[in-house]
Amino acid sequence: MMQETTIDRPIMPLRPTSFPRERPSRTADDLAGRPPKISVDHLNFYYGPKQALSDVTLMIPQHCVTALIGPSGCGKSTFLRCLNRMNDMIDNTRVEGEIILDGRSILGPKVDVVALRKRVGMVFQKSNPFPKSVFENVAYGPRVAGVRGKSVLYEIVEKSLVRAALWDEVKDRLNDSALQLSGGQQQRLCIARALATNPDVLLMDEPASALDPASTSRIEDLIFELRDRYTIVIVTHNMQQAARVSDQTAFFYQGELIEAGSTNELFTNPARKQTEDYITGRFG
Amino acid sequence: MSQTAFETTAYSRRRARMSQAFSVLCLAATSLGVLVLILLIWEILWQGLPWLNARLLTSFPSMYPEKAGIAAALVSSLWLITLTALFSVPIGVGAAVYLEEYAQASRWRSLVQLNIANLAGVPSIVYGILGLGLFVRALALQRSILAGSLTLTLVVLPIVILAAQESLRAVPNSIRQASFALGATRWQTVWHQVLPAATPGIMTGVILAISRAMGEAAPLVAMGAAATFITFIPLSPIDEFSALPVQIYDWASRPQPEYHHVAAAAIVVLLTVLILLNATAVYVRYRYGKRIRW
């Protein structure tokens, strides 16, 4: 007997990985006209005696996707983790320079790191849902921030899951363990979880590097949709991905920011030789 | 000269024989351990089972072996492990949480860590002498259950701390990072994420530590706390007490062979309780460990 299979959602076709891309990138003029959400000024970062970032200066415009690219160990993840002070958790680190978010410095001992992290959400390379239900995963951020009341939390959970394009798949299994979801669903759950604290900035550390192409494509679509609401900074090893999803690209090499500019320009007409060598695959 | 590479040579045959010999040697070592254990248990059961009856469980020690029982000792031992658990779990888990989640890597922390590991190896009789000086005399707790369980707490605390640290370390860092990145404080992260995930491991460690406390005679003897002739059921933590291993030790060292049978019967009871505790530990690990898979 034939087994009847039901497909509850259309399968997303894979998109070509090269230019011209189907999701238009913001132009250089558009980027220049936007207010800076985050501005990083002469940032130095040290793990003990080892300098991981030297003199990085970068503007991150509002409601744009900024991609950080570069070979392994170039400092792009370290840079990302400076933006929500996750490096604080590592013993023996030191930071110099200035990072301004919405006109206010986020470095220094007086900053409330907990409040900062509520505004600057983060999604990690390996999806790391808590070993709890789907609902509890998304509700965790608001809960620790003091939100009480099942109906309020439910509303936040639904909204966040809808925004993360996961609601339709999990709305009937909110009480199931999050660890039962597929890898791609887990990563979108982590995005939903980050959105639940209502941040304005979303940091993504290689969010799709552990996913299959179809899930990767869904994440990339999602990033594009989130762009109008959030300022997104994404670290990626995959240059095509940077080209597909970002508006601005910053190329890091050996702890230095070699070049930053609008994605269209950086990928078609890089100003520096090192950048060109990297994006054409000559090293890295 | 067409010799294939797969023919056996004198050398390869010797290597195969060596390999075989080694596996036989390992099997012999395993069998020896199991054999001794079976012999021990068989000997105990053979001696003790005929004497194991309801009277043994409900009577108090007596001058006449056929009237002697472990009622006081068994209840005392249950008192001891309950109080020991109550004292050692909060202190032990608290210390482990501090060392794993809060303390920064420093020379001081390594020093504390080293000392805890060393304390776990200190002979328990040493804790008995400490307990005698500190709890029995200085704090004037006399020879009470309280003094006994505080002393046993000292014995098992390093074990509990090490086991709890091990379980906390097994919680992947990505969970802590996810929690911090969502704006949780360190306390919220530990309380809502890390501790629940580490609980099965901590519980297993605690139960094994409690089993050890239950089997300890030396510290209780050294502090002179556990009496061997108690003819009442201890009802509060400040009562005098006995303990199963101490009672067994006393009976086993008497000249009358009948007492050896009573001791063997008491050992059967002690072993039963210990096996139950260990089975609980295995069950907890299995039952709760299954739900969490990273």
Side-chain angles (χ1 to χ4, degrees):
Chain A
M1 245 185 75
M2 283 282 286
Q3 189 102 35
E4 211 175 319
T5 53
T6 52
I7 297 170
D8 50 7
R9 61 178 174 79
I11 294 170
M12 203 80 61
L14 290 181
R15 61 192 70 260
T17 56
S18 54
F19 281 110
R21 63 186 220 176
E22 93 190 35
R23 288 163 299 201
S25 174
R26 299 204 199 282
T27 62
D29 290 344
D30 182 354
L31 291 174
R34 285 174 180 272
K37 183 72 184 174
I38 302 175
S39 51
V40 178
D41 201 22
H42 299 291
L43 188 73
N44 290 308
F45 189 85
Y46 305 85
Y47 293 109
K50 188 180 166 291
Q51 185 160 11
L53 290 174
S54 17
D55 201 33
V56 174
T57 298
L58 179 67
M59 288 266 259
I60 295 170
Q62 191 165 33
H63 295 170
C64 289
V65 178
T66 299
L68 312 178
I69 61 169
S72 297
C74 68
K76 57 195 189 299
S77 280
T78 301
F79 177 82
L80 190 77
R81 296 162 61 89
C82 282
L83 300 181
N84 66 346
R85 299 266 305 260
M86 284 297 276
N87 286 326
D88 287 19
M89 291 171 56
I90 304 167
D91 289 341
N92 226 340
T93 55
R94 192 158 54 88
V95 62
E96 293 164 357
E98 190 59 280
I99 301 176
I100 310 278
L101 169 69
D102 284 336
R104 308 266 290 275
S105 172
I106 66 162
L107 297 181
K110 281 188 183 160
V111 174
D112 180 0
V113 182
V114 167
L116 169 71
R117 289 181 190 148
K118 262 177 243 159
R119 287 187 53 201
V120 184
M122 188 164 196
V123 176
F124 297 85
Q125 175 175 11
K126 201 171 159 287
S127 62
N128 51 358
F130 302 127
K132 300 182 175 221
S133 70
V134 171
F135 183 91
E136 285 304 321
N137 262 279
V138 185
Y140 182 72
R143 263 194 216 282
V144 297
V147 176
R148 294 282 175 272
K150 192 87 180 167
S151 60
V152 184
L153 284 171
Y154 187 86
E155 218 170 286
I156 296 175
V157 169
E158 176 173 355
K159 195 175 77 179
S160 309
L161 285 169
V162 167
R163 284 199 186 158
L166 189 61
W167 175 250
D168 290 334
E169 291 160 63
V170 301
K171 65 182 174 210
D172 300 323
R173 12 190 330 210
L174 291 178
N175 292 317
D176 288 4
S177 168
L179 300 176
Q180 289 170 9
L181 301 181
S182 74
Q185 288 173 328
Q186 287 192 10
Q187 193 60 301
R188 274 178 287 145
L189 179 69
C190 291
I191 294 174
R193 186 173 66 181
L195 298 181
T197 63
N198 202 15
D200 2 282
V201 180
L202 206 51
L203 308 178
M204 298 182 159
D205 193 353
E206 298 182 45
S209 68
L211 301 180
D212 62 89
S215 303
T216 301
S217 169
R218 298 210 62 175
I219 299 276
E220 289 176 6
D221 286 336
L222 180 59
I223 291 170
F224 187 73
E225 281 158 30
L226 292 172
R227 179 176 77 164
D228 291 328
R229 237 178 242 281
Y230 306 93
T231 302
I232 297 173
V233 186
I234 176 174
V235 165
T236 178
H237 262 298
N238 179 333
M239 274 171 294
Q240 274 93 30
Q241 184 170 64
R244 285 193 301 262
V245 302
S246 72
D247 304 305
Q248 174 180 252
T249 299
F251 171 58
F252 284 77
Y253 184 60
Q254 292 185 344
E256 284 175 50
L257 177 61
I258 303 298
E259 184 176 349
S262 90
T263 299
N264 287 338
E265 217 156 278
L266 189 127
F267 276 91
T268 51
N269 188 19
R272 302 276 294 267
K273 178 85 169 60
Q274 278 166 307
T275 315
E276 190 185 340
D277 286 350
Y278 184 70
I279 60 176
T280 53
R282 232 165 288 170
F283 83 98
Chain B
M1 283 282 290
S2 68
Q3 196 183 18
T4 75
F6 302 113
E7 276 168 38
T8 57
T9 61
Y11 177 61
S12 78
R13 280 193 295 275
R14 204 174 75 225
R15 290 207 308 169
R17 273 201 306 277
M18 284 288 285
S19 179
Q20 190 112 44
F22 187 67
S23 80
V24 169
L25 210 68
C26 290
L27 181 69
T30 312
S31 321
L32 190 70
V34 174
L35 205 72
V36 170
L37 188 68
I38 291 174
L39 268 175
L40 258 173
I41 291 178
W42 191 74
E43 170 81 7
I44 295 289
L45 289 177
W46 184 73
Q47 280 197 28
L49 271 187
W51 290 68
L52 186 64
N53 50 36
R55 186 199 40 72
L56 180 84
L57 295 177
T58 53
S59 313
F60 296 105
S62 163
M63 287 171 66
Y64 308 102
E66 56 278 6
K67 286 189 187 168
I70 55 166
L74 184 60
V75 174
S76 302
S77 274
L78 295 180
W79 263 114
L80 283 173
I81 58 169
T82 311
L83 288 182
T84 303
L86 277 180
F87 296 140
S88 59
V89 170
I91 302 176
V93 175
V97 166
Y98 175 74
L99 287 171
E100 285 302 311
E101 308 292 327
Y102 284 89
Q104 300 231 328
S106 66
R107 199 169 298 172
W108 184 78
R109 193 183 80 167
S110 330
L111 196 71
V112 171
Q113 190 68 62
L114 186 72
N115 276 299
I116 290 171
N118 282 337
L119 283 177
V122 167
S124 55
I125 194 158
V126 176
Y127 290 105
I129 292 162
L130 177 63
L132 176 67
L134 185 62
F135 301 124
V136 178
R137 302 224 173 111
L139 295 179
L141 294 175
Q142 309 304 332
R143 294 164 175 197
S144 61
I145 292 178
L146 195 57
S149 37
L150 285 171
T151 307
L152 287 179
T153 301
L154 291 183
V155 176
V156 301
L157 205 48
I159 309 172
V160 173
I161 295 174
L162 290 176
Q165 277 190 289
E166 205 62 52
S167 324
L168 291 171
R169 233 172 283 152
V171 177
N173 234 336
S174 62
I175 291 296
R176 293 183 185 83
Q177 298 206 348
S179 179
F180 284 125
L182 289 167
T185 61
R186 198 168 276 274
W187 154 250
Q188 287 169 326
T189 302
V190 169
W191 184 250
H192 294 295
Q193 302 298 345
V194 180
L195 271 182
T199 297
I202 294 177
M203 295 260 289
T204 313
V206 167
I207 294 170
L208 293 178
I210 295 305
S211 315
R212 158 121 195 242
M214 177 128 190
E216 281 289 353
L220 298 176
V221 171
M223 67 189 289
T228 51
F229 207 85
I230 296 272
T231 51
F232 57 88
I233 300 277
L235 291 174
S236 87
I238 50 168
D239 282 346
E240 278 189 56
F241 67 104
S242 180
L244 264 182
V246 176
Q247 190 74 66
I248 291 165
Y249 170 71
D250 178 60
W251 280 334
S253 55
R254 293 196 183 194
Q256 300 95 316
E258 291 84 0
Y259 271 120
H260 299 173
H261 289 286
V262 187
I267 289 173
V268 174
V269 175
L270 180 63
L271 278 180
T272 310
V273 176
L274 288 180
I275 288 171
L276 280 178
L277 280 173
N278 281 285
T280 318
V282 172
Y283 178 74
V284 164
R285 202 203 302 259
Y286 172 76
R287 176 75 182 70
Y288 295 95
K290 220 171 35 169
R291 264 196 291 166
I292 300 171
R293 189 141 301 157
W294 310 108

